[in-house]
Amino acid sequence: MKKLLLSAVVLAAMLTSCKQEVKTVEAPVQTETTPTVETDTVAAKAAVEKEKEELAKPYNEQEDAQAKLNELIAKAKKEGKNVFVQAGGNWCIWCLRFNDFVQKNEEIKKVVDANYEYYHLNYSKENKNKEIFAKYAPEGLELGFPFFFVINGNGEVTKVFGSGDLEADKSYDAAKVKQMFMDNAPKK
């Protein structure tokens, strides 16, 4: 009888001990993870929205894209340049970051100004420019935004490519971006 009673007490102590360990282990995991993830997500979205507000908005939703491209192609032909088209929109943080990066990096800006007419082709809910994308870069929409294409002075697309390989943290890699512009410059 003593052995049975002693076994029951030991078993009860072990069960109580296990329940306490489980509560101790589970409680912090449940309360720590969920609010932190939600808070981080909200904070990250707010930071991106603040950054968007501060960056230039180079895309014009109302512009006649084909007329503008015709003008830039003619100018590029006359000056021995190519047209560099950055497809995206003012809603796209990576599009705004790329424009800002190119405009503020003096070395890259010199390469761009010497070799290209630079155009921001809008894609938004208000104006998707479907005909332009279908004509010049139908595969581009599958690349994500921004994506780029280069048009020579004869109006021919020579290259279509995405921007993912050019990214570095929350910006772009200067050496890769410069090389991309140099690789697609007109042969002089």
Side-chain angles (χ1 to χ4, degrees):
M1 183 77 168
K2 284 183 181 179
K3 284 185 180 179
L4 186 59
L5 186 58
L6 186 57
S7 296
V9 170
V10 170
L11 184 59
M14 288 173 54
L15 289 173
T16 306
S17 172
C18 288
K19 284 184 182 177
Q20 288 174 348
E21 285 179 26
V22 170
K23 285 182 184 175
T24 305
V25 172
E26 288 180 6
V29 171
Q30 290 175 349
T31 56
E32 268 181 44
T33 341
T34 307
T36 304
V37 170
E38 289 175 15
T39 303
D40 289 348
T41 302
V42 169
K45 285 182 180 178
V48 167
E49 289 306 314
K50 185 176 190 282
E51 184 182 358
K52 277 187 197 178
E53 289 175 21
E54 296 170 356
L55 294 171
K57 309 298 183 287
Y59 296 91
N60 182 345
E61 292 178 356
Q62 285 76 43
E63 187 168 54
D64 179 343
Q66 187 60 68
K68 185 65 176 181
L69 281 171
N70 291 344
E71 173 188 323
L72 292 174
I73 291 167
K75 187 174 180 185
K77 183 172 187 158
K78 182 178 176 185
E79 296 177 6
K81 295 181 176 182
N82 283 337
V83 178
F84 182 84
V85 180
Q86 179 182 329
N90 293 328
W91 51 268
C92 166
I93 188 63
W94 283 99
C95 301
L96 301 180
R97 285 175 179 163
F98 189 82
N99 177 66
D100 188 65
F101 182 81
V102 170
Q103 300 307 316
K104 290 181 177 174
N105 184 306
E106 291 181 29
E107 190 176 351
I108 292 172
K109 182 99 170 82
K110 285 180 186 176
V111 172
V112 170
D113 291 346
N115 295 288
Y116 298 95
E117 293 300 321
Y118 198 130
Y119 182 59
H120 294 88
L121 176 59
N122 182 71
Y123 180 90
S124 63
K125 291 179 204 173
E126 297 75 20
N127 184 0
K128 294 183 180 182
N129 280 311
K130 288 180 182 180
E131 299 82 21
I132 303 301
F133 285 107
K135 179 177 179 179
Y136 293 102
E139 70 277 23
L141 295 175
E142 297 171 12
L143 298 173
F145 293 100
F147 76 86
F148 315 109
F149 56 98
V150 178
I151 306 172
N152 65 21
N154 296 322
E156 302 162 334
V157 174
T158 60
K159 182 87 171 182
V160 178
F161 47 98
S163 63
D165 292 340
L166 305 174
E167 295 172 7
D169 297 320
K170 290 185 179 181
S171 186
Y172 291 89
D173 181 289
K176 289 180 181 179
V177 171
K178 181 180 177 187
Q179 191 62 51
M180 178 266 306
F181 278 116
M182 291 173 63
D183 289 348
N184 292 285
K187 308 299 179 231
K188 295 181 180 183

